[in-house]
Amino acid sequence: MGSPKSQKSVLIICGDYMEDYEVMVPFQALLAYGVSVDAACPGKKAGDVCRTAVHQSSGHQTYSESRGHNFTLNATFDEIDASKYDGLIIPGGRAPEYLAMNDSVLNLVIKIFNSGKPVASICHGQLILAAADLVKGRKCTAYPPVKPVLVAAGSHWVEPETMSECVVDGNLITGATYEGHPEFIRLFVKALGGRITGSKKRILFLCGDYMEDYEVMVPFQSLQALECTVDAVCPKKGAGETCPTAIHDFEGDQTYSEKPGHNFTLTASFEGLDVSGYDGLVIPGGRAPEYLALDEKVLAVVKEFMEAGKPVASICHGQQILSAAGLLKGKKCTAYPAVKLNVVLSGATWLDPEPIDRCFTDGNLVTGAAWPGHPEFISQFMALLGIQVSF
């Protein structure tokens, strides 16, 4: 990483109803890799929130939309100094269609783009680039309905063969949808001068219906972006099948709220799983762990990883599985505070997650309390796996 002075700094331009994954995955992945990330929105300041949208294909003529997490900004738009950033990310969703009419947004994007720094834009984000007259003569892709605008703005349109398509032209990186995040983020890291070492690891995710949306997708795509092979399995389901997810958020109630999240596509079958070929295990939280903890085959998989001393990372309610498997005795760990009972009764030393983004490593085990802790959670897991991003 070098000294703090050499730390790369990136800006994300946000707006209400940007796509949930398209802001949070790059935001937390880059933080996990040691990059400083500012997220700002016109008319709002640090500590304010932007609403997000869950966009996905649901068999209709266009994508469906439902409410996502609330995204907390950490920078004030009116105080942004474009010259201090090494790169820019523009998420998609519905925000870009009105941000594209905002002159202060366009001026900021033009300033960063014209300085030759990397600009990465995904999905509908390219509407902002078109409005700023930055795509003329450039190859770019986007979510297909953005094509007419990009063609009219003089770009060389690249039809996305799949929704994970990404295109690079000079300092411009464009992606079709969040399905392409692994390549999109990797290309951006490389454009920032980043080098990934110790990758090519094989990681397994233990999934279930109503696992927390961020807690599966953020680490999943962050590890894929580091050139790891990542498999996601769920008991009684096969590769290509999906798990519905839950959006757990902190909205001022006595406990977290729940909304439906994205459907998460599994990559492998649970039946006949050979654990020996994997280098590490991730257990997302949400509501899935409370019933996965009753499945003897799930417990056997987790025991095999722990007993082999391989890195295991578990977040939020995931520790219910470790507890049921009898694997926390003598361990120091944290979890979502409501899971403290499981942790203490299983013979572990409880570590208070204060603040909620605190994560801890004890031997081969990384534990976190909730998704705000992903940057620390992923970086501590990377350290156990021997994966580094250096700039």
Side-chain angles (χ1 to χ4, degrees):
M1 263 299 302
S3 70
K5 282 182 187 161
S6 68
Q7 187 179 30
K8 296 290 180 179
S9 181
V10 168
L11 177 66
I12 300 183
I13 293 185
C14 301
D16 286 334
Y17 299 109
M18 56 190 169
E19 213 289 327
D20 199 3
Y21 280 165
E22 287 171 6
V23 62
M24 189 56 104
V25 178
F27 179 77
Q28 291 193 315
L30 290 167
L31 287 171
Y33 306 159
V35 176
S36 167
V37 189
D38 281 350
C41 170
K44 301 196 187 197
K45 54 189 189 300
D48 289 349
V49 301
C50 282
R51 304 281 197 194
T52 71
V54 169
H55 285 166
Q56 61 184 345
S57 300
S58 306
H60 304 290
Q61 290 181 337
T62 187
Y63 51 86
S64 62
E65 175 172 310
S66 55
R67 281 281 293 280
H69 297 80
N70 294 322
F71 182 89
T72 304
L73 303 163
N74 64 352
T76 299
F77 189 84
D78 289 344
E79 295 169 5
I80 292 295
D81 171 9
S83 67
K84 79 169 221 189
Y85 296 101
D86 299 297
L88 172 70
I89 291 180
I90 306 174
R94 279 198 296 109
E97 61 184 19
Y98 68 86
L99 292 177
M101 299 186 288
N102 185 314
D103 285 339
S104 59
V105 168
L106 300 184
N107 292 335
L108 187 57
V109 173
I110 289 165
K111 207 173 278 184
I112 294 174
F113 188 91
N114 287 343
S115 68
K117 292 168 180 173
V119 172
S121 181
I122 200 157
C123 201
H124 284 75
Q126 288 80 306
L127 292 170
I128 294 172
L129 298 172
D133 195 25
L134 297 174
V135 295
K136 198 169 278 154
R138 295 273 191 157
K139 281 187 298 204
C140 58
T141 195
Y143 188 62
V146 182
K147 174 182 175 179
V149 169
L150 290 175
V151 170
S155 81
H156 296 304
W157 171 254
V158 178
E159 189 68 34
E161 284 181 34
T162 70
M163 288 301 102
S164 56
E165 182 92 39
C166 293
V167 172
V168 181
D169 187 341
N171 65 323
L172 180 62
I173 299 161
T174 51
T177 70
Y178 56 73
E179 288 177 34
H181 272 155
E183 189 185 357
F184 181 75
I185 294 166
R186 181 164 59 244
L187 289 168
F188 187 65
V189 165
K190 290 190 172 169
L192 288 172
R195 204 164 65 89
I196 302 161
T197 51
S199 58
K200 312 292 184 198
K201 300 291 192 294
R202 292 192 72 220
I203 314 295
L204 184 68
F205 274 62
L206 265 184
C207 301
D209 291 344
Y210 299 109
M211 57 190 166
E212 212 287 330
D213 198 5
Y214 278 165
E215 288 172 7
V216 63
M217 188 58 112
V218 175
F220 186 82
Q221 290 192 318
S222 298
L223 291 162
Q224 285 183 318
L226 296 173
E227 299 169 341
C228 290
T229 300
V230 191
D231 279 336
V233 297
C234 172
K236 304 183 182 66
K237 297 196 186 192
E241 291 187 72
T242 62
C243 285
T245 69
I247 286 173
H248 285 167
D249 212 347
F250 311 102
E251 301 186 275
D253 305 307
Q254 291 181 337
T255 187
Y256 50 85
S257 63
E258 178 168 305
K259 303 185 279 275
H262 299 79
N263 292 324
F264 181 86
T265 304
L266 302 163
T267 64
S269 177
F270 187 83
E271 279 306 309
L273 187 64
D274 178 10
V275 170
S276 66
Y278 292 97
D279 301 297
L281 174 70
V282 177
I283 307 173
R287 281 199 292 109
E290 64 180 15
Y291 69 87
L292 291 177
L294 306 175
D295 188 319
E296 290 300 329
K297 288 181 180 174
V298 168
L299 302 186
V301 165
V302 180
K303 280 178 185 165
E304 202 171 324
F305 275 96
M306 284 295 284
E307 285 162 9
K310 293 177 177 178
V312 173
S314 182
I315 197 159
C316 201
H317 285 71
Q319 287 80 307
Q320 290 175 319
I321 296 174
L322 295 170
S323 170
L327 296 168
L328 292 181
K329 196 175 178 65
K331 287 280 186 187
K332 297 192 196 91
C333 70
T334 194
Y336 188 66
V339 182
K340 178 178 179 179
L341 190 59
N342 302 64
V343 171
V344 172
L345 290 176
S346 63
T349 301
W350 173 254
L351 300 174
D352 214 23
E354 188 52 54
I356 201 75
D357 58 1
R358 285 295 304 278
C359 295
F360 300 94
T361 300
D362 181 6
N364 65 321
L365 178 64
V366 178
T367 53
W371 56 255
H374 276 149
E376 224 178 288
F377 182 73
I378 295 163
S379 68
Q380 289 185 27
F381 188 54
M382 285 167 58
L384 290 182
L385 290 163
I387 303 171
Q388 272 190 313
V389 181
S390 49
F391 293 94

